[in-house]
Amino acid sequence: MSAPETYTGNRGLQMEEPLIFEADSPGLCGVDFPDADITSDRLGGVKREGDIGLPGMAEPQVVRHYLRLSQKNYSIDAGFYPLGSCTMKHNPRLNEKLARLPGFAGLHPLQPETTTQGALELIDATAHWLSVLTGLPGVAMSPAAGAHGEFAGLMTIRAALEDRGDARKRVLVPESAHGTNPASAHACGYAVESIPANDRGRVDLDAFRAALDTDVAALMLTNPNTCGLFEDEIIEIAEAVHEAGAFFYCDGANFNAIVGRVRPGDLGIDCMHINLHKTFSTPHGGGGPGSGPVVLSEALTPYAPVPYVVRDGNRFRLIEDEGASDAKPFGRIKGFHGQFGVFVRALAYMMSLGADGLKQVAEDAVLNANYLMASLEDVLSAPFAGPCMHEVLFDDRFLADSGVSTLDFAKAMIDEGFHPMTMYFPLVVHGALLMEPTETESKAALDSFIGTVRSLAEKAKAGDAELFHEAPHLTPRRRLDETAAARKPVLRWLPPED
Amino acid sequence: MRYLPLSADDRGQMLAAIGVDSVDDLYRDVPAGGRLTSPIELPGHTGEIEVERALTSMAARNTPAGGAPSFLGGGIYRHFVPAAVDHLIQRGEFLTAYTPYQPEVSQGTLQYLFEFQTQVALLTGCDVANASMYDGATACAEAVIMAGRITKRKKAVVSGALHPHYAAVTATSTEFLGLELVTPNPDLTGEEDLSAMIGGDTACVVVQNPDFFGRVRDLTALADACHAQGALLVVVVTEIVALGLIKSPGEMGADIVAGEGQSLGNALNFGGPTVGLMATRQKFVRQLPGRLVGQTTDVDGQRGFVLTLSTREQHIRRDKATSNICTNSGLCALAFTIHLTMLGEVGLRKMAALNHAGAMRLAERLAGMAGVEVLNESFFNEFTVRLSKPASGVVDALAEKGVFAGVPVSRLLPDAEQLLLVAVTELNSDDDMDRLVNELEEALR
């Protein structure tokens, strides 16, 4: 029986909610302040005249508005979120509590160093954990996100090369890489050359060797790669990179698969960013804030950006000035000292799990992904043989002739209460479905997901395409017209014209 | 271990289903040389009690400005944030959601970002804003790069009264993009003439308002001078609350506004994370970096929101993208937008007025002190004073007594030894000001 239409448009607990601008109660305010009498001002003759146009609300209206909005979101707290390459794992609440301690959250970045020794110690301790886990001695803590870390890493490489009088022009990037890799290389002034994958889903070693010469500054490789596979020829790759005098950059987005079991430094990697919001469980927050520290080999460490923390006996010092030490920092990439609030959360997570727990994290993440692969490969189609690492890749051959696309299939997952997997990425297979379960899903959650995917796959193959084309059916909004949104962009609310 | 829900029994069953004996078999593609043979030298797992104890003791080794009479500013400001803000942003549906790539299950995030974009556009006086950047400094750098793309010119004139971190980040970020930055000396006197530096090859002029030293200026003439030469005016705002009381950059002719939104909704957090703001004219929207939320309809004709214009972005355009950015500051933007919704028109104006009134009171008191010279004619909530002694020593001495006097300019501009930046917000009481004045008198004696 389908649900009846309602007068309000609400559907039980699912509420319609206007924009704040449409709910304006002019004159209301959710904050009580004392009156400020400004009879004169010192505003340089540019006092604002006229209204800004902000809507007014009292606190109850504000709370209800945002609470209702929150209920229109899927979240890892609410359910299984198998977005490949995104590492949607549980976000421990202890970390939120600690990041809000007044001794951390209430610190101003320009306080005297003597009053922030605990914060500098925290940055140093976080860097120490990252350094030991990756086997690389240097850590640049200031990048604000993964892509920002890529930029920082490549700028470090560029500075090291130029310092030895060996400016180079190209960066090699496998075609399966995240889009940020070529974009970051471009931002550092490098030409990007794409390297194809072989039929095992790894870097094509012959094509790579053919592209490699003394004009190549770096190879940017994601390992485990975006097909969910460990680059099993990585040591040969590293040796070739170093023979050519280039540096080996690793995109550490998939570090969750190997943390505690493999140190990137042992593989010959010179430089790697770490997404603290992936491997180290800091919340994604609907798209940030992230944090992307970069670990560096000994040769690269002197070129890391300012600021950085050094330890002098019992005292921690913050080096903010580019000319203040023997190092040769390439510059500054962010205001102040990095995503400190994110470091607190990441350190609390690392301390909670410890060396043994982090190894278990990697193993359970890999076990969960392989369990999905083993349980689904007979009904879906896997382009590459396993074992996989922490994510498993399928293509759309299983949907051939069904009239159902990867997108349709993913949207049908939504009606079943699951967040879709990553779709159409990586680009090296057709109609990709990339699933990353993470270690924080139970076997029961995986079994429920597996059962659902199997049933949907069978339904699609049985020819019930219509159901898929129209999915999702049960969400606050159904499929949205993205083409119209891009053709004539409406990016803000405007008052209705009378 | 409390975050791991697989039991030993589960693991055994799953290995059997996969058809391997142990998890080591799943790592067989790792070459022998890459396998760890000994345990990693880090402590083992720890209970919640011990972790809380360790980090609480680290936090206790700090003396936070948040709990003291503090006049620190310089790009990060301590404001009153209503309790509802932090409560709402900790709802799991906001906190633990990913980027809203699947709009049907992300209308909450998408709608608040659409509202955020509208609020930022209104505040800055611009047509449109994006869904936030990493921080103000990176937004400033991206604004310069964007101006280069729009004008196809290679030179940017950067004011000597721009926050030194913003200038440094812009210099680093543009170093290999073929852009040349022209910067006069630090503008300690407010007399720099940027108009004279604009030429036919100038992509943009970057100016901060209120500037790094706190001065407020009418930028209309500068905007006209830019436009006469086909250049763009980029206006940086590091204290967004100022726009509750002063004319918006858009009204004065700005083409791109890059700002820091930390003041609304966000704690000091030792400087990060914060929320970068970026706004511009409608006609430049396809050159904006970062995420954008747009309005559309669903198959039933109902209004909804989606991420849009993604053909600008790296996941589609790769090395041809407008920027490598793949993250915004979602949760910080949420805190910003909730706080601003709590304030509304009336609250923001009142808050801004309280800031300005407090700053005027303190400036007047300091101006009457021996050994202190207030340099600003104009200001919003922050101004520069010249002390009779090096400012960093005075600041350190006052910090010993539990008063944060402000930011010694020499921390950011090493040559400006005697200058001190003093910021006043609605959280500074008259008692705070008494403490500052008394301690300063003593330190300068």
Side-chain angles (χ1 to χ4, degrees):
Chain A
M1 191 180 80
S2 65
E5 292 295 314
T6 57
Y7 297 112
T8 53
N10 298 335
R11 300 181 74 74
L13 296 179
Q14 200 167 284
M15 306 287 190
E16 287 296 302
E17 185 61 14
L19 294 168
I20 49 174
F21 307 96
E22 296 160 341
D24 182 15
S25 303
L28 285 189
C29 180
V31 187
D32 291 331
F33 287 120
D35 283 327
D37 300 321
I38 302 192
T39 45
S40 64
D41 70 69
R42 295 181 68 176
L43 296 169
V46 288
K47 190 165 186 224
R48 189 188 266 278
E49 295 148 15
D51 286 345
I52 304 164
L54 299 170
M57 287 188 192
E59 177 171 322
Q61 296 164 294
V62 177
V63 169
R64 189 168 290 168
H65 176 75
Y66 290 101
L67 188 128
R68 286 183 172 189
L69 290 190
S70 77
Q71 293 177 328
K72 298 176 197 294
N73 271 1
Y74 198 86
S75 64
I76 184 67
D77 275 0
F80 187 41
Y81 217 127
L83 263 184
S85 260
C86 302
T87 313
M88 293 301 288
K89 60 167 74 177
H90 172 67
N91 304 141
R93 289 314 194 275
L94 170 66
N95 308 348
E96 295 305 306
K97 180 180 177 185
L98 297 176
R100 286 170 171 79
L101 289 172
F104 292 139
L107 276 188
H108 191 283
L110 300 175
Q111 290 188 206
E113 209 172 81
T114 50
T115 65
T116 62
Q117 286 294 302
L120 299 180
E121 181 184 354
L122 184 134
I123 295 175
D124 189 65
T126 308
H128 176 73
W129 276 81
L130 298 178
S131 167
V132 174
L133 287 170
T134 56
L136 286 162
V139 189
M141 291 296 286
S142 67
H148 208 213
E150 293 170 17
F151 175 75
L154 289 175
M155 288 292 280
T156 307
I157 288 170
R158 183 158 187 153
L161 285 168
E162 291 192 347
D163 196 36
R164 71 181 198 211
D166 188 14
R168 295 177 173 218
K169 292 200 173 61
R170 290 185 299 141
V171 167
L172 307 182
V173 181
E175 62 181 345
S176 62
H178 299 113
T180 49
N181 291 184
S184 299
H186 175 76
C188 296
Y190 286 115
V192 176
E193 188 168 333
S194 182
I195 306 296
N198 63 23
D199 58 8
R200 298 188 307 114
R202 274 94 169 172
V203 171
D204 183 326
L205 212 54
D206 292 336
F208 161 67
R209 285 186 200 278
L212 185 63
D213 59 32
T214 53
D215 209 27
V216 170
L219 167 71
M220 291 184 92
L221 181 69
T222 308
N223 186 48
N225 69 26
T226 61
C227 299
L229 302 169
F230 198 92
E231 290 284 349
D232 50 7
E233 293 174 308
I234 192 162
I235 289 178
E236 291 86 336
I237 291 172
E239 282 168 2
V241 168
H242 293 148
E243 262 167 44
F247 288 98
F248 190 175
Y249 184 97
C250 181
D251 179 329
N254 293 339
F255 190 47
N256 204 50
I258 57 172
V259 60
R261 272 197 76 111
V262 177
R263 293 186 306 182
D266 297 338
L267 302 171
I269 286 160
D270 301 300
C271 179
M272 181 176 96
H273 77 261
I274 299 164
N275 307 75
L276 296 184
H277 48 285
K278 293 183 180 177
T279 308
F280 298 107
S281 88
T282 71
H284 282 76
S291 179
V294 178
V295 288
L296 300 163
S297 66
E298 204 170 331
L300 291 175
T301 300
Y303 305 95
V306 287
Y308 52 89
V309 175
V310 293
R311 186 175 193 156
D312 269 349
N314 287 332
R315 191 170 156 236
F316 295 91
R317 287 191 303 131
L318 183 67
I319 308 297
E320 297 175 277
D321 184 358
E322 291 185 38
S325 75
D326 310 335
K328 305 166 183 173
F330 74 76
R332 170 181 278 279
I333 59 168
K334 194 182 177 309
F336 309 107
H337 326 313
Q339 305 285 61
F340 178 78
V342 182
F343 305 159
V344 179
R345 293 168 172 90
L347 181 62
Y349 177 79
M350 290 190 284
M351 289 172 70
S352 292
L353 283 155
D356 53 337
L358 289 169
K359 179 164 176 276
Q360 191 69 54
V361 161
E363 291 175 359
D364 283 358
V366 168
L367 178 62
N368 277 354
N370 278 282
Y371 183 62
L372 287 187
M373 188 175 200
S375 308
L376 292 171
E377 62 188 344
D378 61 323
V379 288
L380 306 184
S381 40
F384 306 117
C388 62
M389 289 281 99
H390 68 312
E391 56 190 353
V392 53
L393 177 64
F394 296 102
D395 60 24
D396 63 2
R397 282 173 299 161
F398 77 101
L399 294 170
D401 305 323
S402 68
V404 176
S405 68
T406 290
L407 180 76
D408 296 332
F409 194 82
K411 296 295 186 193
M413 296 301 299
I414 293 175
D415 278 335
E416 301 290 344
F418 296 102
H419 194 280
M421 53 294 279
T422 292
M423 292 176 276
Y424 302 106
F425 181 86
L427 310 174
V428 292
V429 301
H430 196 270
L433 297 119
L434 184 64
M435 303 174 188
E436 180 180 357
T438 86
E439 73 284 359
T440 61
E441 292 303 327
S442 66
K443 180 169 178 295
L446 298 180
D447 286 338
S448 160
F449 175 77
I450 289 162
T452 308
V453 172
R454 293 189 69 89
S455 301
L456 286 174
E458 278 154 20
K459 198 175 226 170
K461 289 173 188 176
D464 199 351
E466 202 57 25
L467 177 121
F468 288 87
H469 294 163
E470 296 196 356
H473 298 78
L474 304 172
T475 42
R477 289 293 178 272
R478 296 179 54 223
R479 277 198 218 187
L480 291 127
D481 191 343
E482 304 195 21
T483 312
R487 195 179 294 135
K488 229 185 141 191
V490 177
L491 306 176
R492 63 174 288 187
W493 176 84
L494 285 170
E497 290 168 31
D498 302 315
Chain B
M1 274 170 249
R2 62 187 181 274
Y3 304 143
L4 300 176
L6 293 185
S7 68
D9 193 36
D10 290 334
R11 291 186 185 111
Q13 285 180 34
M14 292 163 75
L15 288 169
I18 296 163
V20 294
D21 295 329
S22 85
V23 77
D24 291 339
D25 295 334
L26 301 177
Y27 283 93
R28 63 177 178 248
D29 289 337
V30 178
R35 293 181 197 160
L36 270 175
T37 46
S38 54
I40 281 192
E41 286 181 27
L42 286 167
H45 67 277
T46 310
E48 199 156 336
I49 297 171
E50 289 78 16
V51 174
E52 183 164 341
R53 193 174 288 147
L55 288 203
T56 303
S57 99
M58 243 183 240
R61 289 199 275 286
N62 301 316
T63 309
S70 168
F71 299 88
L72 287 156
I76 296 286
Y77 300 89
R78 181 183 66 154
H79 287 289
F80 174 73
V81 179
V85 174
D86 199 46
H87 167 77
L88 288 165
I89 71 166
Q90 287 197 72
R91 282 195 65 91
E93 300 93 325
F94 288 138
L95 184 74
T96 76
Y98 194 68
T99 304
Y101 288 127
Q102 297 296 320
E104 299 89 348
V105 288
S106 312
Q107 284 299 302
T109 298
L110 289 161
Q111 182 170 333
Y112 84 64
L113 288 174
F114 185 80
E115 293 170 346
F116 169 86
Q117 289 175 183
T118 307
Q119 287 172 322
V120 174
L122 288 167
L123 274 178
T124 55
C126 292
D127 297 331
V128 291
N130 75 7
S132 77
M133 311 287 282
Y134 302 139
D135 70 355
T138 53
C140 174
E142 290 283 350
V144 171
I145 297 167
M146 176 178 162
R149 271 196 307 272
I150 292 169
T151 59
K152 301 192 169 60
R153 296 178 183 179
K154 297 289 181 196
K155 211 168 98 182
V157 175
V158 179
S159 162
L162 176 65
H163 191 295
H165 283 178
Y166 288 52
V169 172
T170 303
T172 300
S173 307
T174 56
E175 189 176 354
F176 299 113
L177 296 178
L179 288 162
E180 181 200 350
L181 303 188
V182 186
T183 309
N185 292 324
D187 182 26
L188 304 180
T189 56
E191 287 166 345
E192 70 178 5
D193 181 11
L194 298 173
S195 301
M197 302 173 72
I198 306 170
D201 57 348
T202 307
C204 65
V205 172
V206 184
V207 63
Q208 181 176 327
N209 201 39
D211 71 18
F212 176 64
F213 300 99
R215 296 171 300 230
V216 186
R217 280 208 290 161
D218 190 345
L219 302 171
T220 313
L222 182 61
D224 291 344
C226 286
H227 298 152
Q229 298 271 16
L232 304 183
L233 180 64
V234 174
V235 176
V236 169
V237 182
T238 62
E239 169 52 297
I240 199 73
V241 175
L243 297 184
L245 200 57
I246 68 175
K247 239 182 229 174
S248 70
E251 276 179 276
M252 297 194 255
D255 299 287
I256 307 172
V257 179
E260 172 55 66
Q262 172 272 331
S263 283
L264 292 177
N266 287 277
L268 301 172
N269 283 330
F270 206 36
T274 62
V275 48
L277 311 175
M278 197 156 185
T280 191
R281 298 179 188 279
Q282 179 76 35
K283 64 179 174 184
F284 299 142
V285 83
R286 284 171 201 273
Q287 294 302 332
L288 260 178
R291 291 193 184 124
L292 284 167
V293 173
Q295 180 180 306
T296 187
T297 50
D298 76 352
V299 290
D300 298 324
Q302 290 196 287
R303 178 177 68 184
F305 304 93
V306 292
L307 287 177
T308 193
L309 299 182
S310 58
T311 49
R312 302 164 298 122
E313 292 187 79
Q314 46 74 28
H315 61 278
I316 310 285
R317 294 276 287 163
R318 301 178 78 85
D319 58 317
K320 307 284 190 303
T322 55
S323 159
N324 71 335
I325 286 177
C326 158
T327 321
N328 56 2
S329 289
L331 205 69
C332 302
L334 176 63
F336 175 104
T337 191
I338 297 174
H339 189 184
L340 191 51
T341 304
M342 296 280 292
L343 289 166
E345 181 85 23
V346 171
L348 182 69
R349 284 166 165 267
K350 226 173 195 184
M351 179 174 167
L354 280 168
N355 277 254
H356 188 52
M360 282 198 291
R361 279 207 307 286
L362 184 62
E364 214 162 291
R365 292 185 66 178
L366 293 179
M369 285 178 63
V372 182
E373 183 192 355
V374 177
L375 300 184
N376 293 52
E377 290 289 324
S378 65
F379 55 84
F380 167 61
N381 68 353
E382 184 167 27
F383 52 85
T384 308
V385 296
R386 179 181 284 122
L387 303 178
S388 55
K389 290 183 177 174
S392 67
V394 172
V395 165
D396 288 348
L398 265 67
E400 292 279 312
K401 308 222 169 141
V403 176
F404 293 102
V407 178
V409 173
S410 61
R411 176 130 181 208
L412 297 126
L413 296 171
D415 294 335
E417 265 205 335
Q418 284 167 286
L419 301 190
L420 178 70
L421 287 178
V422 180
V424 182
T425 74
E426 72 286 352
L427 282 172
N428 290 108
S429 64
D430 285 334
D431 286 349
D432 286 358
M433 294 188 204
D434 291 342
R435 289 276 312 271
L436 176 68
V437 168
N438 293 342
E439 297 295 352
L440 258 186
E441 264 170 5
E442 179 136 334
L444 293 173
R445 196 168 287 157

